[in-house]
Amino acid sequence: MRVIIENDYDKMSQWAADYVLYRIKKHKPSPKKPFVLGIPSGSTPLGMFKILASYYKKGLISFENVIFFSMAEYIGVGAGDPHGFQYFLWDNFLKYVNVKKEHAYFLNGLTTDYAKECAKYEKSIRSCGGVDLFIGGVGEDGHIAFNEPYSSLNSRTRAKLLTPSTLKANSRFFDNDVHKVPPLVLTIGVETMMEAEEVMILASGQKKAKAIKQAIEGGITHVWPISILQHHPHGIIACDSAAAQELSAETVKYFQEIENTSF
């Protein structure tokens, strides 16, 4: 596992954006060999999105041959609903870059056949050759995508009931009214994410500190789904110092020395 600890949110966002830029340019995407990127919603990736959009505007990167997969959608929420993740991603990132609409994949929150929709999404990922880089956030309780604590670490894309803590955390997008937050979502599974060539988790703020400690220093357990990242051959955690504050001094020193070593 690679762990990046930056001083603050802005620097963490800069590092994450620069890494996405590096990965896409290294891949040299083309119509026959697109770069497949999984992207999250929520407040944490907003800084990264803004920087990537500025890179596109400056001509430093093109997203023409990048395929995007969203991680989740609320059940009962349609594409045009401002509370939905599809709307969020278009409004905060995708509309600012040259993504082709047919290259942006989203789960359909209005489906009545959850299993069929989820199986279709898994098939779409496979048909694109798999995900090159999946970017995700992490909840205070260690959930990744919407794989809440005690989720199967072998789970695939499916319908999931949100926990009270997640409903409360997401109520900030619903006028701070927890009763307005849809309790069910369609979400990629843990194993779906882990099948990506590379997974990068972003974390900012003291509220994420316990989850980051468990992810790096704890054992692998479905109680903390993020801990499965320890099994990924190319897993990255990019966080700020507040999110890393519960890590031991030895752990922080180790990862900082690794990043500062040049060959």
Side-chain angles (χ1 to χ4, degrees), residues 142-144 147-156 158 160 188-195 219-231:
H143 73 255
I144 48 177
N147 297 285
E148 304 279 25
Y150 304 100
S151 293
S152 169
L153 299 182
N154 297 115
S155 57
R156 311 298 307 191
R158 69 209 186 285
K160 198 76 176 71
I188 64 163
V190 176
E191 189 163 322
T192 310
M193 178 184 288
M194 288 290 286
E195 285 180 348
I220 296 175
T221 169
H222 62 177
V223 180
W224 294 91
I226 190 178
S227 64
I228 192 63
L229 197 63
Q230 295 176 30
H231 263 187

Side-chain angles (χ1 to χ4, degrees), residues 100-115:
K100 296 178 180 178
K101 287 192 175 182
E102 63 268 26
H103 283 177
Y105 288 80
F106 302 93
L107 286 155
N108 178 14
L110 297 181
T111 184
T112 56
D113 191 334
Y114 305 154

